[in-house]
Amino acid sequence: MSLEDVQSVVLVGVGGQGILLASEVLAQAAVLSGHRVKTNEVHGMAQRGGSVVAQIRWGQKVYSPLVASGTARVLGSLEQIEALRYAHYLAPNGLAVVSAQAIMPMTVSTGEAIYPKDVPGLLKRSFSRLIYLDAAQAALDLGEIRAANMVVLGAVSTGLDIAIEDWRDAIVASVKERFVEINLRAFEAGRSFS
Amino acid sequence: MAAAASLAKARSIVTMKHVGLNVAADPLMTLSYLGVEGGLVACVADDPGMHSSQNEQDTRHYARLAKVPLFEPSDSQEARDLMLLAMEISEEYRTPAILRSTTRVSHSRSLVDLGERKPAGRRIGFVKNPPRYVPIPVWGRVMRRDVEERMGRLVRAAEASSANWMEWRDRSLGIVTSSIAYQYVREVWPDASVLKLGFSYPFPDSLFLEFASQVDSVLVVEELDPILEEHVRSLGIACRGGDVVPKVGELSPDQLLLARMRMEGRKPAMDAGQMALPPRPAVLCPGCPHRGIFYVLGQLDVVVTGDIGCYSLGAFKPLDRMDTILCMGAGISMAQGLEKAGDPRKVVGIVGDSTFFHSGITGLLDIAYNRGGSTILVLDNRTTAMTGHQENPGTGRTLMGDVSVPISIEAIGSACGIERVRTVDPYDLEAVSVAVREEVEAFAPSLIVARAPCPLKERRRLGAVRVVDEDACKGCRICIRLACPAIEWLGETARINPLLCMGCGLCQGICPAGAIAPQEVDS
């Protein structure tokens, strides 16, 4: 029995950015592609502007819903330093998709901590395969800032073997009907950043 | 309620967190004596890692204490399967049962094969039978003996249960495990033999003995307290467990990989170490009505006894205005305790609307009747926000969504004997300040209800988005003290993130430079 064919993705960001919806779409796409899936995320406190991490794993047989360090195939981040916070999950040859958004934690505003300087440089040094994109701007260009999560997910999809039809069906299944169109367009926009 | 429903032959499930079982422990202990008619399962979610809880207690102790069967699913499918089994065992053995989940079982999702729904087809009705349902000593002592006899039969049920199984692989190491730990074990020790327990209490002794006799060494992997491990040792089986597997915090594949290295005498490769990143704790949302309350309390020399809910976040800097948290209802009762002890400072107790209804009223009654002088602030945001906006007795809807009678917090306060009851708008900082100062100074108990709906639930802005005039901003950082995630400090001036701002206007009200104003809307 081999666990090598289990795929893991970690999606991170700040509470309120739509990580959980992105996680749901990814899980749904993996189901549609014919796999058993386990996802995990922590709600509650984490939702109130805190650091949020969602984990999605799929394959023929998945045991742990938690990803072991150094095994995620893709790390998707909606905030730039959150990608650094969870960098240890990524496999050595894994793909990091990082949105250029910088959201100041309260600890920075109060002066207890410092937001790192030259984050793009840190990202380049931390990740051998990096897609650094401005998902918020791309979503704004489409007229809906809240679709930034789908832009990131679109870029994440370029590092995974899930057919485009499954992604589209997953978005249709997971998103309210009136938001399907904008989310599909945001996802497509994300796919162009590879 | 579930107990009575069960006695009327209805099947019932009652759900709670680990700390909720402390509150429900009193009825559980004696219900174990009464037994059940319809199946009754307490579905209890533990929180190893304390992701959103005030302690890390292990519910498995309660199964032993109450002498009831315990079921531990390790994923979503088992949560469904074991719930059914627990219900059947509960009914067959006429005992309440506990289904224990942990953080990563509760918060993970996976595909579940559903079964056919079978109508229960039973007649609901309570049949009088005092020797069974009235545990006064003469009958209670009989029940007590019956519980022990039941435990004996439950051991045999657990030993024969399909929820407990052995997986034979390499026999040099056999791992005894339950709950989510099983899933991690399968990844970290893919070659080891496993005794997997889904029906884990009463302990299926013959399984431990049989399993141990067929492997060279035994390791027990369990989350939190060494309950299985201690029992396995008590059977005379040498094993490892807590010496290599952490007993504090939640387990994970990473934790168990380290445990495996420890066991095998290997040194883990030194991690390069994570770069120093600013912590990102949760904060009160933009537009939260609780924010202004903590800001005002920050200007007063009082002790603030807090409670469980979103407003626990008022403990963090820069608000930093909650001095204690203990359990639900303690915001009120601890205020009374500090005062009775003779603390020289005035005390303000804080509680949310939902928590007030849940377990605040008895404490309030105590303050009023025993002539306390505390000021109790109910932060009434018209919902149970932290856990996902559930209804509560103040909202006018039941948990099933049906219209009901909204219960008045003020009327409860008056009925408890509190004469000084007032209501304030939490966005009106001046009014909040006046009310709190007056009530703190008064030599009588008082209740202030700060009422405004949770904007996260309402999903609409409270007013125009605010902007900072950077030329006018003097950099005094007073607005930062509001701990609003929409307000960012740029080094010399503040900036308001228009995507996050809910337009509550608190920052505009406190800015001494008048640098914050509503954004002009393009026509």
Side-chain angles (χ1 to χ4, degrees):
Chain A
M1 177 175 38
S2 162
L3 295 170
E4 260 81 88
D5 45 62
V6 171
Q7 305 285 321
S8 300
V9 169
V10 176
L11 299 176
V12 302
V14 176
Q17 284 194 304
I19 306 287
L20 302 189
L21 177 64
S23 161
E24 194 178 319
V25 169
L26 173 45
Q28 188 75 35
V31 169
L32 291 172
S33 69
H35 294 100
R36 301 300 284 190
V37 179
K38 282 190 178 174
T39 71
N40 189 279
E41 65 255 347
V42 170
H43 307 251
M45 284 286 214
Q47 231 164 2
R48 311 281 182 256
S51 173
V52 175
V53 51
Q55 312 188 353
I56 307 96
R57 308 189 72 215
W58 65 96
Q60 294 304 309
K61 171 79 186 166
V62 182
Y63 290 105
S64 167
L66 286 181
V67 175
S69 290
T71 65
R73 188 157 164 184
V74 182
L75 169 69
S77 181
L78 279 147
E79 203 278 350
Q80 45 183 12
I81 65 163
E82 294 309 307
L84 297 170
R85 199 184 304 279
Y86 298 104
H88 60 278
Y89 281 120
L90 199 60
N93 58 348
L95 169 68
V97 175
V98 184
S99 179
Q101 276 154 289
I103 300 176
M104 292 300 137
M106 192 55 63
T107 51
V108 170
S109 289
T110 58
E112 294 165 79
I114 295 166
Y115 197 89
K117 304 234 181 323
D118 185 29
V119 176
L122 289 173
L123 291 168
K124 279 196 197 98
R125 284 195 290 282
S126 300
F127 303 113
S128 57
R129 290 172 61 211
L130 171 68
I131 298 176
Y132 185 58
L133 72 169
D134 191 339
Q137 190 57 50
L140 258 183
D141 292 346
L142 295 170
E144 179 51 85
I145 178 81
R146 284 177 295 178
N149 56 350
M150 288 302 128
V151 176
V152 167
L153 194 61
V156 164
S157 74
T158 63
L160 300 170
D161 314 313
I162 294 176
I164 184 68
E165 298 76 37
D166 293 333
W167 285 108
R168 289 205 188 101
D169 291 347
I171 291 172
V172 171
S174 309
V175 174
K176 279 195 191 131
E177 201 180 336
R178 62 198 164 104
F179 297 121
V180 165
E181 185 58 37
I182 182 72
N183 277 289
L184 283 172
R185 283 167 56 210
F187 183 82
E188 285 302 331
R191 279 180 79 85
S192 65
F193 288 98
S194 53
Chain B
M1 267 179 67
S6 157
L7 296 191
K9 299 187 186 61
R11 283 189 162 187
S12 11
I13 296 173
V14 53
T15 62
M16 64 201 81
K17 281 175 44 162
H18 55 328
V19 284
L21 190 54
N22 298 335
V23 181
D26 193 2
L28 177 67
M29 293 300 145
T30 307
L31 183 64
S32 173
Y33 284 29
L34 268 56
V36 304
E37 297 297 339
L40 188 154
V41 181
C43 182
V44 184
D46 284 4
D47 189 7
M50 297 171 65
H51 292 272
S52 49
S53 305
Q54 65 271 37
N55 77 27
E56 202 176 48
Q57 70 189 51
D58 191 326
T59 289
R60 295 178 298 165
H61 292 291
Y62 271 114
R64 199 149 63 162
L65 186 58
K67 299 175 184 285
V68 299
L70 173 71
F71 299 84
E72 294 186 80
S74 72
D75 64 11
S76 306
Q77 180 71 51
E78 286 186 16
R80 178 241 172 228
D81 298 344
L82 291 184
M83 177 56 86
L84 278 183
L85 178 65
M87 197 57 88
E88 284 163 8
I89 294 283
S90 167
E91 238 161 46
E92 188 181 342
Y93 293 83
R94 303 180 83 151
T95 172
I98 296 176
L99 183 100
R100 179 216 188 205
S101 178
T102 63
T103 312
R104 300 294 168 177
V105 177
S106 307
H107 286 279
S108 67
R109 282 188 282 183
S110 51
L111 296 175
V112 175
D113 298 322
L114 299 175
E116 282 287 307
R117 187 178 173 147
K118 294 186 209 120
R122 61 184 67 198
R123 183 181 292 161
I124 302 299
F126 175 77
V127 180
K128 184 179 166 79
N129 186 355
R132 273 214 50 170
Y133 305 138
V134 184
I136 54 174
V138 57
W139 292 319
R141 290 184 193 116
V142 178
M143 297 175 192
R144 172 76 187 87
R145 281 193 292 275
D146 289 348
V147 167
E148 290 307 312
E149 184 272 332
R150 183 183 75 204
M151 286 297 281
R153 288 187 290 126
L154 281 167
V155 169
R156 292 189 287 282
E159 287 172 341
S161 175
S162 60
N164 297 330
W165 67 76
M166 296 179 207
E167 298 174 6
W168 295 113
R169 284 176 285 272
D170 177 9
R171 302 202 180 205
S172 61
L173 176 66
I175 301 179
V176 178
T177 187
S178 68
S179 189
I180 190 70
Y182 166 75
Q183 306 289 350
Y184 305 150
V185 162
R186 290 295 295 114
E187 296 204 354
V188 174
W189 285 275
D191 301 325
S193 295
V194 170
L195 169 57
K196 199 281 191 187
L197 300 174
F199 181 174
S200 55
Y201 188 82
F203 299 115
D205 284 348
S206 66
L207 300 186
F208 293 128
L209 293 166
E210 183 191 340
F211 184 70
S213 74
Q214 298 194 41
V215 293
D216 300 338
S217 62
V218 175
L219 168 70
V220 180
V221 180
E222 59 194 319
E223 220 168 19
L224 299 183
D225 295 336
I227 294 174
L228 286 173
E229 181 186 348
E230 284 175 3
H231 186 73
V232 164
R233 284 185 202 283
S234 78
L235 295 172
I237 300 168
C239 69
R240 302 194 72 171
D243 58 327
V244 285
V245 179
K247 284 183 275 196
V248 175
E250 71 171 329
L251 298 181
S252 65
D254 284 347
Q255 286 286 358
L256 292 189
L257 279 165
L258 286 173
R260 181 170 180 171
M261 288 182 169
R262 268 180 229 125
M263 260 179 80
E264 294 171 359
R266 288 186 284 150
K267 280 229 163 69
M270 283 305 286
D271 204 326
Q274 203 176 9
M275 72 183 78
L277 291 171
R280 194 186 294 276
V283 283
L284 292 172
C285 304
C288 178
H290 304 335
R291 174 168 287 110
I293 302 287
F294 290 115
Y295 181 79
V296 168
L297 287 171
Q299 299 164 345
L300 299 175
D301 180 29
V302 291
V303 182
V304 181
T305 55
D307 220 301
I308 315 275
C310 285
Y311 47 96
S312 305
L313 298 171
F316 288 130
K317 285 183 181 172
L319 291 172
D320 190 17
R321 213 53 199 101
M322 190 165 276
D323 301 322
T324 65
I325 290 180
L326 184 63
C327 65
M328 286 181 81
I332 295 180
S333 43
M334 286 184 81
Q336 165 84 334
L338 272 174
E339 195 198 330
K340 284 285 172 199
D343 193 283
R345 284 184 294 169
K346 296 279 188 176
V347 187
V348 174
I350 285 191
V351 67
D353 49 333
S354 179
T355 305
F356 176 82
F357 289 117
H358 183 279
S359 40
I361 299 169
T362 322
L364 193 66
L365 188 64
D366 186 24
I367 289 176
Y369 197 71
N370 288 311
R371 318 305 293 167
S374 306
T375 300
I376 303 302
L377 251 167
V378 182
L379 306 188
D380 179 9
N381 62 355
R382 317 300 296 152
T383 187
T384 314
M386 183 57 115
T387 47
H389 294 125
Q390 289 81 10
E391 305 293 342
N392 70 47
T395 64
R397 284 196 183 269
T398 68
L399 281 177
M400 303 304 287
D402 301 329
V403 173
S404 187
V405 190
I407 309 295
S408 160
I409 295 168
E410 289 90 334
I412 289 178
S414 300
C416 284
I418 305 280
E419 287 166 5
R420 301 180 67 98
V421 178
R422 59 206 281 182
T423 309
V424 294
D425 172 1
Y427 296 111
D428 184 345
L429 291 189
E430 186 56 34
V432 171
S433 182
V434 168
V436 174
R437 282 171 208 272
E438 284 179 6
E439 297 309 329
V440 162
E441 287 311 314
F443 289 98
S446 44
L447 182 71
I448 304 173
V449 182
R451 178 172 295 129
C454 171
L456 192 65
K457 185 183 186 191
E458 303 281 306
R459 292 185 173 279
R460 58 183 164 80
R461 283 214 164 90
L462 300 155
V465 166
R466 298 307 203 267
V467 285
V468 179
D469 176 348
E470 285 182 26
D471 295 329
C473 176
K474 294 197 161 55
C476 68
R477 297 172 61 88
I478 284 178
C479 58
I480 299 297
R481 291 187 210 157
L482 285 171
C484 177
I487 305 177
E488 295 177 344
W489 182 248
L490 299 180
E492 290 177 7
T493 57
R495 188 185 85 96
I496 295 174
N497 183 335
L499 297 172
L500 294 177
C501 177
M502 293 291 280
C504 72
L506 286 188
C507 53
Q508 183 180 344
I510 65 163
C511 176
I516 301 177
Q519 189 172 42
E520 286 174 30
V521 183
D522 299 334
S523 52

